[in-house]
Amino acid sequence: MAKLIAKTYGEALFEAALEKGKIDEMYEEVQGIQTVLSDNPKLVKLFNHPNIIKEEKLQVVEAVFAGRLSQEMMGFLRIVIEKGRQGELDGIFAWFIARLKEHKRIGIAYVTSAVELSGGQKKQVEEKLLATTAYEAFEIHFSVDAELIGGLVIRIGDRVVDSSIKSRLYEMRKELMKIQLN
């Protein structure tokens, strides 16, 4: 249910931004709201408190964000609060950002290696990803997992390319287990 809410509201925000020609402005505002909410957990608690009425929550939004956000974003926040969906703002904004990046053809990749990659190696990975996908740019998150032994595991969306030695050894083990000894 939460995923459906995030998709519905996130898509509506994206479509409004696209229609108004304010994609970049809305993206900056979303990032600003995310920063304010992450820096102020008491504000999030207030928004999600069941005993605080919607009108008071709307007054807080006006006090915190009025003059700092566009009319479109203020209207969006009002709708979210009036519908009681303020607890889903993280998911809504995540959906909006993912949709925006897809629209701009910016891929998000997660690359795991057995050892820390050098700057040149990271650049090679990015160039290879750009050459083999339809994306024009990449946001790459690198991490290290020594259990891989060697190679890389690359995840883009729901696609995974696993060229790690760990997975190759596992596959060889499975094949060897199939062989019956006489």
Side-chain angles (χ1 to χ4, degrees), residues 9-154:
Y9 283 83
E11 189 67 29
L13 181 60
F14 175 77
E15 291 297 329
L18 191 61
E19 184 179 302
K20 299 270 185 186
K22 295 185 172 184
I23 292 178
D24 294 328
E25 293 89 342
M26 293 285 230
Y27 177 61
E28 288 176 20
E29 288 182 345
V30 163
Q31 288 182 311
I33 294 168
Q34 286 178 317
T35 300
V36 168
L37 295 178
S38 69
D39 291 348
N40 300 291
K42 288 183 180 179
L43 183 61
V44 174
K45 196 172 185 179
L46 177 126
F47 282 152
N48 295 324
H49 200 285
N51 294 335
I52 298 176
I53 60 173
K54 292 177 186 177
E55 289 75 21
E56 290 177 11
K57 293 176 184 179
L58 288 169
Q59 288 173 353
V60 170
V61 166
E62 289 290 333
V64 172
F65 296 113
R68 295 185 178 109
L69 297 177
S70 65
Q71 290 180 344
E72 293 87 4
M73 186 58 77
M74 288 298 291
F76 179 77
L77 289 176
R78 280 189 211 100
I79 290 170
V80 168
I81 290 171
E82 286 170 4
K83 298 290 185 183
R85 304 296 190 196
Q86 63 276 0
E88 304 297 329
L89 275 175
D90 283 342
I92 291 168
F93 289 155
W95 185 274
F96 170 80
I97 291 169
R99 183 72 171 84
L100 176 129
K101 287 182 179 178
E102 194 67 33
H103 176 75
K104 289 188 165 206
R105 299 177 62 139
I106 300 171
I108 300 172
Y110 297 89
V111 178
T112 307
S113 59
V115 296
E116 186 70 33
L117 298 177
S118 69
Q121 290 170 320
K122 289 179 180 180
K123 184 75 175 154
Q124 282 181 321
V125 168
E126 182 177 12
E127 288 170 358
K128 186 72 170 175
L129 290 175
L130 288 170
T132 58
T133 64
Y135 293 110
E136 295 175 1
F138 265 98
E139 181 181 300
I140 304 177
H141 304 274
F142 291 95
S143 62
V144 176
D145 180 1
E147 288 186 16
L148 296 180
I149 305 170
L152 298 173
V153 177
I154 301 172

Side-chain angles (χ1 to χ4, degrees), residues 161-178:
V161 176
D162 187 346
S163 66
S164 68
I165 292 175
K166 177 183 177 181
S167 67
R168 289 181 185 174
L169 288 173
Y170 176 75
E171 291 299 320
M172 279 203 295
R173 181 175 181 257
K174 276 183 20 183
E175 292 298 318
L176 288 172
M177 295 296 276
K178 289 179 186 178

